[in-house]
Amino acid sequence: MRYLCFAIATFLALTIRGPVCAQAPCDEFFYLVQQWGPTFCKHDRQTCRQAPVSSHFTLHGLWPNYDKGHCPGKKGAWPQNCDDSSTDLPPECDCPFDASILSDLSSDMLENWPSYGQTNTDFWKHEWDKHGSCAITYEEEIGGSVTTEHEYFAKALELREQCNVLESLAAAGITPGGKAPASHFVAAIKQGCGVSPQLACHSGSSDAEEIRICYDAAFQAIDCQQAKEVEDCRGSIISLPAWQVSSSASIADQ
């Protein structure tokens, strides 16, 4: 009887303590990444599939990131490929990409989320597989509002409307074909959008390619304090290339 009581007590202790010992989700924030098409096509002219949009910045993606740069027990230095079963760890999300789910968003995505280096569908699938699968995994863990593929893409499009990057830069005198100190780019977005962004250039060049706006887990815009203010930029004077079509231009689709 004594051993039976011990076994029951041990079982109850483990059962009760199980949820207490479960690891809480690591804090995360999101980058809303908007890209400048003319920069991409300037540097990747041979793979650029179409003349880039030059009337506005377009979406690259909505990327979850660990608040402290890592998360114990998770794959990688930031959340990625949460539906990936090719590693030793089990996938965190059974959520394969389904383009048909996005049919009502197609016109908005074609205008504001086009691909320059691959087909649109392949680009959107890549963003979903690498980033979206992890975004909804985290949102489900914390009881958030973005827990499906459709909600992920719709949220990115919605957030993009909150900050007109090109208009904010133009208000500070930074227009396509112009140059300015990197700090002026950051200050212009801070003035126009209300938060400090991260500026990223193309592969260590001095050409601005991305503006990244940070959001907390509730998708409220915040200063990008977790990241460097300027990334992959060579020098302190940054260009915003204008797209110039010439007779020698090589666009893959043309």
Side-chain angles (χ1 to χ4, degrees):
M1 177 65 70
R2 181 175 59 187
Y3 295 110
L4 178 60
C5 292
F6 176 78
I8 293 173
T10 302
F11 172 78
L12 290 173
L14 291 173
T15 302
I16 294 171
R17 287 165 53 193
V20 175
C21 295
Q23 179 181 329
C26 293
D27 290 335
E28 296 185 17
F29 71 98
F30 294 86
Y31 280 131
L32 182 74
V33 185
Q34 299 189 54
Q35 64 180 342
W36 183 237
T39 296
F40 178 91
C41 289
K42 172 185 175 181
H43 290 271
D44 294 283
R45 188 174 289 270
Q46 296 301 319
T47 58
C48 190
R49 297 178 56 85
Q50 59 179 313
V53 176
S54 57
S55 59
H56 56 274
F57 276 69
T58 58
L59 283 169
H60 186 164
L62 180 61
W63 302 348
N65 284 264
Y66 297 131
D67 216 17
K68 297 182 179 179
H70 70 282
C71 182
K74 298 287 188 176
K75 298 178 286 186
W78 58 84
Q80 57 181 319
N81 300 314
C82 290
D83 191 31
D84 184 8
S85 58
S86 64
T87 68
D88 293 334
L89 295 175
E92 301 174 58
C93 171
D94 182 14
C95 47
F97 178 74
D98 183 355
S100 67
I101 292 174
L102 307 175
S103 58
D104 64 311
L105 301 176
S106 59
S107 60
D108 198 357
M109 292 182 68
L110 287 171
E111 179 181 358
N112 295 309
W113 206 329
S115 173
Y116 300 119
Q118 56 193 138
T119 67
N120 287 324
T121 300
D122 285 345
F123 179 42
W124 299 333
K125 180 181 185 301
H126 167 79
E127 289 302 306
W128 170 253
D129 290 344
K130 186 171 184 178
H131 304 291
S133 62
C134 296
I136 69 163
T137 297
Y138 175 65
E139 285 284 294
E140 287 175 347
E141 288 177 339
I142 65 170
S145 61
V146 177
T147 59
T148 68
E149 177 186 328
H150 187 278
E151 289 170 345
Y152 169 77
F153 284 97
K155 176 59 71 173
L157 291 164
E158 173 193 325
L159 296 178
R160 182 194 165 276
E161 292 298 315
Q162 297 178 5
C163 174
N164 191 312
V165 171
L166 194 60
E167 283 188 3
S168 298
L169 293 175
I174 304 172
T175 56
K179 299 180 179 182
S183 60
H184 289 196
F185 277 79
V186 172
I189 302 303
K190 172 75 171 180
Q191 178 66 30
C193 302
V195 291
S196 294
Q198 182 184 63
L199 165 68
C201 294
H202 183 91
S203 302
S205 73
S206 59
D207 291 332
E209 183 164 43
E210 293 180 346
I211 296 292
R212 302 168 182 171
I213 307 294
C214 291
Y215 291 83
D216 64 17
F219 297 104
Q220 298 299 308
I222 57 175
D223 290 334
C224 289
Q225 297 175 336
Q226 301 92 334
K228 296 183 295 183
E229 193 172 77
V230 179
E231 184 173 81
D232 291 336
C233 293
R234 186 182 68 229
S236 60
I237 303 300
I238 306 302
S239 302
L240 186 66
W243 179 246
Q244 297 179 344
V245 179
S246 67
S247 58
S248 61
S250 175
I251 301 296
D253 277 7
Q254 299 177 359

